[in-house]
Amino acid sequence: MNAQKMKAILYSAYGGTEKLMLQETKKPDLKSDEVLIRVCAVSVNDFDLGMLMGVPYILRVQNGISKPKKVHILGSDIAGKVEAVGASVTKFQIGDRVYGDLSDRWGGFEEYCAANESEVKLMPDSLTYTEAAALPQAGALAYQALFDYGKAKEGERVLINGAGGGVGTLGVQMAKEAGLVVDGVDTPSKFDVMKATGFRNRIDYRTEDFTQKSEVYDIVIDNKMNRPIRRCLKVLKPGGRYLVIGGGSWSIFKVLILSTWIRLFTNKRIQLVMLKKNRGLEYMEKLHLAGNLQVIMEPVVSLNKGIEAIETYSQNNFTGKVVIDLAGNSK
């Protein structure tokens, strides 16, 4: 392969994973405040699928209404090694191991990506590349839902809907460390891992409706929004917080519309968690170093199998995180 070329997973039209293409493309050019990173691992997120499908439709305002404005490379959560630095870069040098969330620019599903030096941080020695790539979005969403939005306090009860993915398996471990009690809703195929990571009760969403149960919670973190909001509010204690991370366009629109009214006329709160990139990573690093945070993931070796990995993610046929391992999980 030409030294200035690399492999990347691209798309140029909205749709499912059938729109993705593995092709050779040009290595990114480097600006003065950027670093060039050899991508060693990248994880798959809901945000990737949303951009690919063009939903929620608000994503199309910037990316293109009927089709993407340009051939696009997805992938935000990366871990890798610095290969080159721009002239004004001060934080990093060649050879540094770095990771972070590149969702403002994307470009993780490729062998090399460029990133502003403010978008990534040094990886601790305790993390492998695949572990580091699994943390930024899912871990930050869980951290921010629990502690920034939820203001979680020791002894409170938490329910996570869609608990067997990255947000759930990382979030429950952070919650346990903070002295919270956590129940989770997902499919039975994920129950063993959910039990191992700390969920007290596991609820099968196919046979049980958590909104009809007698248990009430201080915080509900909803990754799926597959139950009506009014029913979800019933399982909140007075002063409870219903925090939305995932859902379709209409569901998210309803959250934005209803949040003010619910706060005005009830003693409960509903909010959409707006991600602050990379916030909470230091907390997760400390937990992992102390042996209190296990990264649950399904690694897929090589970018050549990347489209297959994204399809697995889109079918929800995984537990924890789906990570594309470009470096054989080497340190």
Side-chain angles (χ1 to χ4, degrees), residues 47-245:
F47 209 173
D48 295 307
L49 295 183
M51 291 289 286
L52 174 62
M53 294 185 290
V55 292
Y57 290 108
I58 189 66
L59 295 176
R60 299 193 184 204
V61 173
Q62 183 176 5
N63 201 35
I65 301 300
S66 61
K67 67 177 183 178
K69 295 176 182 176
K70 60 180 182 179
V71 175
H72 205 62
I73 302 172
L74 291 172
S76 60
D77 288 9
I78 64 100
K81 185 174 290 187
V82 175
E83 293 278 314
V85 297
S88 63
V89 170
T90 59
K91 290 173 60 178
F92 304 107
Q93 58 187 6
I94 292 172
D96 283 343
R97 300 165 73 244
V98 296
Y99 76 123
D101 176 359
L102 308 183
S103 55
D104 284 344
R105 72 161 68 214
W106 305 92
F109 294 150
E110 59 187 346
E111 293 177 305
Y112 293 86
C113 70
N116 187 283
E117 65 174 333
S118 65
E119 294 178 300
V120 292
K121 65 189 302 291
L122 286 171
M123 277 176 55
D125 292 338
S126 59
L127 289 172
T128 65
Y129 288 120
T130 49
E131 288 172 333
L135 292 179
Q137 271 194 37
L141 283 167
Y143 175 88
Q144 291 167 36
L146 285 167
F147 304 118
D148 292 347
Y149 286 81
K151 308 295 182 186
K153 303 178 183 67
E154 184 176 356
E156 288 191 322
R157 294 184 177 183
V158 179
L159 177 77
I160 301 179
N161 185 27
V167 171
T169 56
L170 292 168
V172 67
Q173 296 176 80
M174 294 185 231
K176 279 178 57 185
E177 187 69 13
L180 307 173
V181 178
V182 191
D183 292 346
V185 184
D186 216 304
T187 62
S189 64
K190 304 181 182 184
F191 281 4
D192 287 346
V193 169
M194 288 168 60
K195 181 178 180 180
T197 50
F199 284 97
R200 178 189 62 167
N201 295 318
R202 283 81 62 199
I203 302 166
D204 182 354
Y205 85 96
R206 299 173 304 178
T207 59
E208 298 181 85
D209 184 346
F210 73 87
T211 68
Q212 302 299 313
K213 297 175 76 69
S214 59
E215 188 83 42
V216 289
Y217 300 92
D218 300 283
I219 299 171
V220 172
I221 298 175
D222 200 339
N223 295 302
K224 297 297 181 182
M225 289 204 76
N226 51 6
R227 297 287 186 260
I229 292 174
R230 59 181 174 77
R231 281 168 37 191
C232 293
L233 293 175
K234 291 180 180 179
V235 301
L236 281 181
K237 293 180 180 180
R241 291 82 78 194
Y242 175 66
L243 305 172
V244 174
I245 288 177

Side-chain angles (χ1 to χ4, degrees), residues 4-6 24-29 110:
Q4 298 304 313
K5 294 286 186 178
M6 64 176 184
E24 192 175 272
T25 188
K26 182 179 179 292
K27 266 189 182 180
D29 296 322
E110 59 187 346

